[in-house]
Amino acid sequence: QSVLTQPPSVSGAPGQRVTISCTGSSSNIGAGYDVHWYQQLPGTAPKLLIYDSTNRPSGVPDRFSGSKSGTSASLAIAGLQAEDEADYYCQSYDSSLSGSLFGGGTKLTVL
Amino acid sequence: EVQLLETGGALIQPGGSLRLSCAASGFTVNTNYMSWVRQAPGKGLEWVSVLYTGGRTYYADSVKGRFTISRDNSKNTLYLQMNSLRAEDTAVYYCARTMFSSSSLWFDPWGQGTLVTVSS
């Protein structure tokens, strides 16, 4: 079964750096497909944060960065701010599904 | 400005049908890949379907054979026809322009979503 695994929750104090992992398999991240990250603020639609594993769309602060290695990817958020409190989702293409796959989401709490 | 506006969500009985619409502005749907993604209450995101520019369509196993994605070029609108609805189809449905590179697909932007509730 194709799955992208994220930790259910992470937390950090303002100003700190946190990372969110996304672990896949040989039919998605491990097959070379890039990973994308979305931020979903409470009650709003998801917003693209990182595409193609490491690229930031215009308007996304450089506090947000992405990386990918093997069958995993990570989203790092530096200089945590209160407004970063949200749910974060990774997403990739999966060849066995012929479609996209989302991670289960990670709730970021800013302490 | 690139925008998407979904409409058509409703309370519908199990076994019923519903058609969602997604009106695009700032770009044309027929020259872009387009997708539907859903989110059950309190749950994560689930990809539902994609429509490629050439007309090919793909669906999640959970909706295959029941849902149909299509577009009307003259109205610059994407649709999702949902038949044989089940309680587990209850979700906010988002449409999204689907971008691509040589190594993947991603969604940007997203509409604001429309709520479908399947219940008797």
Side-chain angles (χ1 to χ4, degrees), chain A residues 3-8 87-90 102-107, chain B residues 43-45:
Chain A
V3 174
L4 295 180
T5 301
Q6 297 180 234
D87 293 323
Y88 292 83
Y89 294 90
C90 63
F102 285 94
T106 298
K107 181 175 183 59
Chain B
K43 302 297 184 182
L45 301 171

Side-chain angles (χ1 to χ4, degrees), chain B residues 38-107:
Chain B
R38 68 184 181 183
Q39 185 171 35
K43 302 297 184 182
L45 301 171
E46 180 188 17
W47 170 75
V48 172
S49 181
V50 62
L51 172 59
Y52 291 129
T53 51
R56 278 181 301 152
T57 59
Y58 293 91
Y59 300 90
D61 287 343
S62 57
V63 307
K64 202 172 294 183
R66 300 187 298 123
F67 289 12
T68 303
I69 189 172
S70 64
R71 64 185 177 228
D72 184 329
N73 298 340
S74 65
K75 295 182 179 179
N76 206 29
T77 298
L78 180 74
Y79 299 102
L80 186 67
Q81 177 67 43
M82 304 185 294
N83 299 330
S84 302
L85 282 162
R86 307 166 179 166
E88 54 265 35
D89 295 320
T90 294
V92 173
Y93 285 74
Y94 298 100
C95 68
R97 185 176 62 175
T98 304
M99 310 299 284
F100 64 94
S101 65
S102 60
S103 56
S104 199
L105 302 171
W106 65 95
F107 309 107

Side-chain angles (χ1 to χ4, degrees), chain A residues 79-95:
Chain A
L80 267 182
Q81 299 179 5
E83 57 262 38
D84 297 333
E85 194 160 281
D87 293 323
Y88 292 83
Y89 294 90
C90 63
Q91 173 252 322
S92 186
Y93 181 83
D94 190 284
S95 58

